[in-house]
Amino acid sequence: DDGYIVEMVSLFKAGKIREARKLVCKSAQPDEMEDIYRWLYDNLDLISDDEATQDKAILIVKQGLVDHTLIADPEINLAATMIRIANLIEK
């Protein structure tokens, strides 16, 4: 059940990236992880309006996707990627 996606979008729109991370890590199936990276990339405007911040977010998402193939636990990697994004917009 991917009903959590709607709630994740709402949390991103509210700037609650950490809460979104917890929801995604609790709800997403391992085979959905790569789709979440794509969603993050496709929805940079929910992360920030600032182009420089969006550029940094792209690099974070890209590195998370690269690491996705190297890390034994994809949930930990996705959580780390979303923490990096949250830290980016909290500065």
Side-chain angles (χ1 to χ4, degrees), residues 34-76:
E34 286 184 32
D35 293 336
I36 294 169
Y37 289 103
R38 184 69 207 193
W39 184 90
L40 290 168
Y41 175 75
D42 288 341
N43 291 280
L44 291 170
D45 58 322
L46 295 180
I47 294 169
S48 176
D49 293 338
D50 178 62
E51 282 191 38
T53 301
Q54 287 180 0
D55 288 349
K56 291 175 185 173
I58 290 170
L59 295 174
I60 291 169
V61 170
K62 174 255 176 202
Q63 189 60 53
L65 200 50
V66 168
D67 293 346
H68 178 76
T69 62
L70 305 173
I71 305 290
D73 189 328
E75 179 183 325
I76 293 171

Side-chain angles (χ1 to χ4, degrees), residues 6-35:
V6 173
E7 188 175 349
M8 178 182 72
V9 171
S10 295
L11 289 169
F12 263 88
K13 285 182 178 178
K16 298 180 179 181
I17 309 298
R18 292 184 193 283
E19 289 87 343
R21 173 188 56 82
K22 291 175 186 174
L23 172 69
V24 169
C25 289
K26 177 179 72 171
S27 305
Q29 298 302 310
D31 64 337
E32 297 174 310
M33 298 286 176
E34 286 184 32
D35 293 336

